[in-house]
Amino acid sequence: MDSAPHNAGILLEWYQAMGVCEAVDAVPADWFADLPAARPAHAGLAPPSAPQPGLPPRERKALTRLNDAPQPVPPVPAEASGADVMAARELARGAADLAQLRTLLEGFDGCGLKKTATRLCLSRGSPQARLMLIGEAPGKDEDAKGEPFVGRAGQLLDRMLGAIGLTEADVYITNLVFWQPLGNRTPSPEEVQVCQPFVERQIELLAPDLLVFLGNAAAKQLTGATEGIMKLRGKWLDYGGIRAMPTLHPAYLLRNPIAKRLAWRDLLAIREALDSGRPS
Ligand code: URA
């Protein structure tokens, strides 16, 4: 019997469980093509073990099925090495302006997310903005367009900003990472770490009057805080001499509309801080 379709089904289930839920290219990638010919079929994986006698029948059967199937060598997500982080710092430091930072980032291969994303998704808004907002990671819509916060959460964010009289021309929006994590998983600490020098350099180059951290991930990563966003939100912090406000992520507000009233308080505080800092 040809076991290929059966094994392909098992592999597909595994991909789905790992969060790989959509095609990223028109042409399938052959992840096995570059493997050295002499590499044993089980390289990189623990050798298949015999089904253990103590296992219940269903689990035994599943394990037997897997052990019978040819064992694929899964693509291992690239993790940031110390060298990648150092290269990122060096590169980011060399960017004279935001346009150059974008060009440098286009050529940077130190973040594994780039391999599966469609395109770089760095920022939108104005390089002269007084208000900079930082989210977590681009999603599917952002990946398709190459701009952060353009999906449902982004549309809500635009309406929220509009409610305090701000348009895209008044703000600069970016994320902790600049490529969509496949299957919308949370970016790994290594992926965030390797992108961080570019986040920090954007802050330096833009030199905004105010920073807004959208959600837990950005607030914790950039302030080192350990409390959750519900504790952090609504309070002004100091980020290297810049006033910074953690607030609720618009995606959270879409799921929890009742929390919009908290976000509204934060927005009013942001509006007030912009007005009080404006030269008369
Ligand atoms: N959520 C984010 O954190 N960033 C985006 O760009 C979109 C959704």
Side-chain angles (χ1 to χ4, degrees):
M1 190 188 88
D2 180 6
S3 62
H6 169 78
N7 292 336
I10 297 175
L11 187 55
L12 205 57
E13 274 173 31
W14 180 81
Y15 276 135
Q16 273 186 334
M18 294 298 111
V20 181
C21 56
E22 54 189 285
V24 292
D25 212 339
V27 184
D30 183 355
W31 296 99
F32 306 105
D34 294 338
L35 292 177
R39 196 166 173 182
H42 299 301
L45 293 177
S49 52
Q52 287 128 48
L55 283 178
R58 236 176 100 225
E59 277 75 0
R60 274 186 82 164
K61 203 166 148 209
L63 196 51
T64 309
R65 251 173 15 127
L66 274 173
N67 283 336
D68 287 348
Q71 301 290 301
V73 181
V76 178
E79 296 207 338
S81 67
D84 287 333
V85 176
M86 269 161 63
R89 284 204 196 112
E90 188 74 10
L91 212 57
R93 205 178 300 132
D97 54 34
L98 290 166
Q100 195 184 8
L101 185 123
R102 176 182 288 276
T103 308
L104 292 173
L105 207 41
E106 293 274 9
F108 179 64
D109 292 327
C111 178
L113 292 174
K114 184 178 180 179
K115 294 202 178 87
T116 49
T118 314
R119 54 179 59 82
L120 174 69
C121 177
L122 178 60
S123 64
R124 71 177 171 99
S126 163
Q128 274 86 44
R130 296 175 58 217
L131 177 65
M132 175 169 182
L133 300 105
I134 306 175
E136 183 176 17
K140 186 158 84 45
D141 297 314
E142 289 74 24
D143 182 64
K145 195 157 178 217
E147 288 185 355
F149 284 99
V150 292
R152 278 185 69 225
Q155 287 156 21
L156 174 59
L157 178 62
D158 286 350
R159 288 199 299 278
M160 289 161 60
L161 293 170
I164 53 166
L166 300 175
T167 69
E168 192 178 89
D170 303 307
V171 298
Y172 180 94
I173 306 175
T174 189
N175 279 308
L176 290 181
V177 299
F178 316 117
W179 294 273
Q180 184 205 8
L182 201 55
N184 273 346
R185 64 170 170 78
T186 302
S188 71
E190 292 77 14
E191 289 156 354
V192 170
Q193 203 188 340
V194 82
C195 289
Q196 188 153 339
F198 298 101
V199 176
E200 290 168 354
R201 188 69 182 139
Q202 284 180 96
I203 300 174
E204 279 171 12
L205 291 169
L206 186 74
D209 291 351
L210 301 178
L211 276 166
V212 172
F213 303 134
L214 295 167
N216 221 5
K220 284 188 168 174
Q221 185 66 24
L222 296 170
T223 65
T226 50
E227 301 98 319
I229 191 67
M230 281 302 177
K231 275 254 169 73
L232 292 173
R233 62 145 286 278
K235 298 185 192 100
W236 287 109
L237 305 170
D238 179 81
Y239 179 94
I242 303 173
R243 297 179 79 193
M245 163 84 74
T247 190
L248 301 172
H249 194 288
Y252 174 83
L253 297 175
L254 285 174
R255 293 190 304 271
N256 302 277
I258 190 95
K260 283 184 186 170
R261 57 192 168 174
L262 299 176
W264 178 237
R265 280 189 218 156
D266 301 347
L267 283 169
L268 290 178
I270 292 163
R271 178 71 263 175
E272 201 180 305
L274 282 172
D275 291 342
S276 62
R278 194 182 293 280
S280 51

